Amino acid sequence: MNVVMRRLALGAIFVLVHLPAAAREATPAAETPIPPMPMPTPQAVPANLPHDLSPWAMFVAADNIVKAVIIGLALASLATWTVWLAKIIELTSALRKARSALRKLQRADNLSDATREIEAEWTKDGPVAELVQAAMRETERSVDLSADGVKERLAIALSRIEARAGRDMARSTGLLATIGATAPFIGLFGTVWGIMNSFIGIAQSKTTNLAVVAPGIAEALLATAIGLVAAIPAVIIYNVFARAIAGYRALLSDASGEVLQHLSRDLERQQKPVASRAASSARSRWMAE
């Protein structure tokens, strides 16, 4: 009995002594502290970055090629608005004068009356007055010639006057078409050049920080924006002028038709007395026989 009790006591002592060590050896990972992960170090930002990103500041900080593109587009925009102002004044005055002269042609009974009315007031200068003067010159030169030949020659002269007046009115509008077609591509060239320089700067600074890349890209995109600002008004103004000039040419065509009608009536009036005299002389000869 004493031997059994002794063995039980020794076993209990053995368990009490060795169990904590075994438990610690069985779970070493739970007691080992996990070291903290290293945080990424922020990339250094150059100290010379522009803080003012207004359009003027971006223009000043832009590359020389981008500056040249922006200046050229600004001059093109100035030329667009200059042509608009000059042409709107010229076209408005010409349309007003042509409408007034056309109304006088329609009211007149013959070509001489129309000439006096047109040359008496402020309509004496202009393509419609030139049409009437051409008709008067042709009738004076063709007194003893056939009526058909007079009409044909006058139609040629009137068409040439109409064509010249249309060309004069359309002068400088081709510049608007050129600006509208090329300004977006010129601005795009400036944008490509500026973005290329931005990528070169990224490679040299060895950083992809957005604060480093953004100013150069913004300067490049400014060229495209100014290209659109120059192109869109030029296209709109060109289309407006094209329709207005087409209407102006239609007025001149109507005036040419009125001049030809007056001339035709005048020639028939001149031929009628001659025909009546010839008929009366033939009748008198018949009665004498």
Side-chain angles (χ1 to χ4, degrees), residues 113-277:
D113 293 342
T115 303
R116 284 193 297 271
E117 290 185 10
I118 289 174
E119 293 182 351
E121 299 180 4
W122 60 281
T123 55
K124 61 182 179 180
D125 297 326
V128 179
E130 293 180 8
L131 295 174
V132 175
Q133 292 169 4
M136 295 298 295
R137 285 194 302 267
E138 186 61 34
T139 53
E140 291 174 359
R141 293 177 180 178
S142 306
V143 175
D144 299 329
L145 301 178
S146 64
D148 293 335
V150 174
K151 294 176 185 178
E152 183 179 355
R153 288 187 295 273
L154 181 59
I156 295 172
L158 297 181
S159 64
R160 294 178 62 184
I161 293 173
E162 290 179 33
R164 184 174 66 250
R167 286 194 304 268
D168 292 342
M169 188 56 64
R171 190 183 297 118
S172 301
T173 57
L175 178 63
L176 299 176
T178 302
I179 293 173
T182 59
F185 297 100
I186 296 173
L188 183 61
F189 167 73
T191 298
V192 171
W193 186 271
I195 291 176
M196 182 179 65
N197 288 336
S198 298
F199 281 113
I200 292 173
I202 291 171
Q204 292 176 351
S205 62
K206 298 179 180 179
T207 178
T208 57
N209 195 307
L210 186 60
V212 177
V213 181
I217 296 177
E219 295 163 5
L221 293 175
L222 180 64
T224 297
I226 296 180
L228 294 175
V229 168
I232 293 173
V235 173
I236 295 174
I237 294 171
Y238 175 78
N239 291 332
V240 171
F241 281 158
R243 291 192 295 270
I245 292 171
Y248 178 67
R249 288 174 175 170
L251 281 176
L252 296 183
S253 179
D254 294 341
S256 296
E258 290 290 335
V259 170
L260 287 173
Q261 289 177 3
H262 281 303
L263 179 64
S264 178
R265 285 191 291 266
D266 291 345
L267 291 175
E268 289 185 3
R269 292 190 186 103
Q270 292 174 4
Q271 292 174 357
K272 187 175 180 180
V274 175
S276 62
R277 285 196 301 269

Side-chain angles (χ1 to χ4, degrees), residues 15-198:
V15 170
L16 293 173
V17 172
H18 293 282
L19 183 58
R24 286 193 299 269
E25 292 176 0
T27 59
E31 297 179 2
T32 304
I34 299 175
M37 296 182 65
M39 299 297 292
T41 58
Q43 295 177 345
V45 179
N48 58 353
L49 286 176
H51 298 287
D52 185 11
L53 293 179
S54 64
W56 176 252
M58 288 190 291
F59 168 75
V60 172
D63 185 78
N64 290 331
I65 300 256
V66 180
K67 284 182 180 178
V69 169
I70 292 174
I71 291 173
L73 292 172
L75 293 176
S77 180
L78 179 62
T80 297
W81 291 108
T82 303
V83 170
W84 171 79
L85 182 61
K87 277 295 170 185
I88 200 73
I89 295 173
E90 180 182 3
L91 188 57
T92 302
S93 176
L95 285 171
R96 183 167 172 262
K97 188 178 295 185
R99 291 192 185 100
S100 178
L102 180 59
R103 286 193 295 268
K104 292 179 180 180
L105 274 173
Q106 293 171 348
R107 290 195 305 265
D109 294 330
N110 51 53
L111 192 59
S112 299
D113 293 342
T115 303
R116 284 193 297 271
E117 290 185 10
I118 289 174
E119 293 182 351
E121 299 180 4
W122 60 281
T123 55
K124 61 182 179 180
D125 297 326
V128 179
E130 293 180 8
L131 295 174
V132 175
Q133 292 169 4
M136 295 298 295
R137 285 194 302 267
E138 186 61 34
T139 53
E140 291 174 359
R141 293 177 180 178
S142 306
V143 175
D144 299 329
L145 301 178
S146 64
D148 293 335
V150 174
K151 294 176 185 178
E152 183 179 355
R153 288 187 295 273
L154 181 59
I156 295 172
L158 297 181
S159 64
R160 294 178 62 184
I161 293 173
E162 290 179 33
R164 184 174 66 250
R167 286 194 304 268
D168 292 342
M169 188 56 64
R171 190 183 297 118
S172 301
T173 57
L175 178 63
L176 299 176
T178 302
I179 293 173
T182 59
F185 297 100
I186 296 173
L188 183 61
F189 167 73
T191 298
V192 171
W193 186 271
I195 291 176
M196 182 179 65
N197 288 336
S198 298

